[in-house]
Amino acid sequence: MARQKGIIQLEGTLGDINFYFRKGKPVARKAGGGFNAKNIKTSATMLRVRENNTEFGNCSTVKKNFKLSLHPFLNAYKEGALHGRMMQLMQNIKMFDTVSERGKRTVGNGIQTPMGKIAFQQFLFTPKCTISKTLMATSSFDWESFCYTVTGFKVSGVRFPVSATHFELSLGVLCFDFATLDHLLFMGSPLLIARDSIADTFSLQPTHLPDTKGMQFAFVGLKFFQEVNGMLYLLQEEGNIGLELVGMRE
């Protein structure tokens, strides 16, 4: 690779030289060589590339569908890095698939392992708004009743944004089939709590109890609102919307 010099800076191919810009600077190199579609598909030396591409595609598809399944929680969440962080999570979980040969490892097999489950449980969907730290109370999720319960709650301990007057909690139990990518999210009625609330205990439960195939994930979502003239307005700034995993099982 060589840098272009002179008043006129070219872009494109001239003869056997490619002219292009790299990091804003004009450069040139001999045309040809490198990867091409035919080599990647057929060359024995490109086997590892084909394996990586196949596994990457599986991770990308699972990530896309899993994120889509959480739309009611994340539809107003604006963190630009979430896509990349979730993609990295799926790739990490795929690595725990030890029953498949390289090139055929999947997120579905990886998440069934103890280490795959731990990786998912440790992932922070909204790192600037963790619900457990925001509520500063004791919480638990019961799989028998699908009930999320908070005790020892004091609204004075909640980390309200300056302009917030209310926050809303919602519970959803997601049934996700990693083989078919079918998914259903069973939501309950959201609970709205004002800044002057005196509640110390409350619970959330899905309106309809889950009864479908696939792994089950219990999520709690949090959103802050500001009341103006009797209307509630969602505060969409990063740190005002939260999502947290509170349980998972096969």
Side-chain angles (χ1 to χ4, degrees):
M1 180 179 65
R3 292 185 180 181
Q4 298 183 45
K5 292 184 178 181
I7 298 175
I8 300 176
Q9 296 174 348
L10 302 176
E11 187 173 7
T13 302
L14 182 63
D16 61 350
I17 303 296
N18 286 336
F19 298 91
Y20 61 101
F21 287 83
R22 183 174 185 271
K23 296 182 179 181
K25 297 181 179 180
V27 295
R29 71 177 180 183
K30 186 176 181 180
F35 296 157
N36 59 59
K38 183 178 179 180
N39 284 343
I40 292 176
K41 290 180 180 179
T42 61
S43 174
T45 60
M46 294 290 105
L47 175 61
R48 185 58 54 86
V49 175
R50 292 194 294 273
E51 292 173 345
N52 291 341
N53 286 349
T54 298
E55 293 183 350
F56 184 89
N58 171 260
C59 292
S60 179
T61 302
V62 173
K63 187 277 306 176
K64 177 182 177 180
N65 283 272
F66 203 94
K67 186 180 179 183
L68 179 64
S69 72
L70 297 174
H71 180 74
F73 293 113
L74 298 173
N75 63 320
Y77 187 61
K78 302 301 182 182
E79 184 208 350
L82 179 60
H83 164 82
R85 294 194 301 107
M86 286 189 67
M87 189 63 192
Q88 186 63 52
L89 170 68
M90 299 304 172
Q91 289 180 295
N92 289 342
I93 291 175
K94 173 262 301 181
M95 297 295 290
F96 297 116
D97 176 4
T98 58
V99 300
S100 305
E101 59 185 86
R102 187 182 179 93
K104 297 181 180 180
R105 294 173 296 184
T106 66
V107 179
N109 287 337
I111 202 168
Q112 293 178 29
T113 66
M115 293 303 296
K117 290 182 175 67
I118 290 174
F120 192 91
Q121 291 166 340
Q122 292 179 341
F123 182 75
L124 298 178
F125 285 86
T126 55
K128 292 189 177 181
C129 185
T130 53
I131 297 174
S132 55
K133 291 182 179 180
T134 300
L135 296 182
M136 298 297 290
T138 301
S139 63
S140 62
F141 180 78
D142 177 54
W143 281 109
E144 294 298 320
S145 62
F146 293 95
C147 187
Y148 174 74
T149 303
V150 175
T151 59
F153 172 76
K154 292 183 179 180
V155 75
S156 59
V158 176
R159 300 178 179 181
F160 277 87
V162 175
S163 59
T165 58
H166 297 72
F167 71 89
E168 178 187 88
L169 285 177
S170 55
L171 173 70
V173 177
L174 172 64
C175 298
F176 194 96
D177 190 322
F178 284 90
T180 65
L181 301 180
D182 291 333
H183 50 83
L184 281 173
L185 182 63
F186 296 81
M187 298 288 294
S189 299
L191 177 66
L192 186 67
I193 298 179
R195 200 162 191 160
D196 58 357
S197 172
I198 60 173
D200 59 4
T201 300
F202 55 85
S203 60
L204 298 168
Q205 192 175 30
T207 304
H208 300 286
L209 299 185
D211 58 357
T212 60
K213 295 181 179 180
M215 291 191 69
Q216 294 183 338
F217 303 84
F219 285 98
V220 173
L222 179 146
K223 296 177 181 178
F224 282 100
F225 293 85
Q226 181 181 19
E227 183 177 9
V228 180
N229 296 326
M231 297 291 292
L232 291 176
Y233 295 90
L234 176 64
L235 302 177
Q236 297 190 33
E237 293 83 358
E238 190 175 358
N240 295 340
I241 297 176
L243 177 64
E244 191 165 306
L245 179 74
V246 295
M248 64 180 291
R249 69 175 183 177
E250 294 183 46

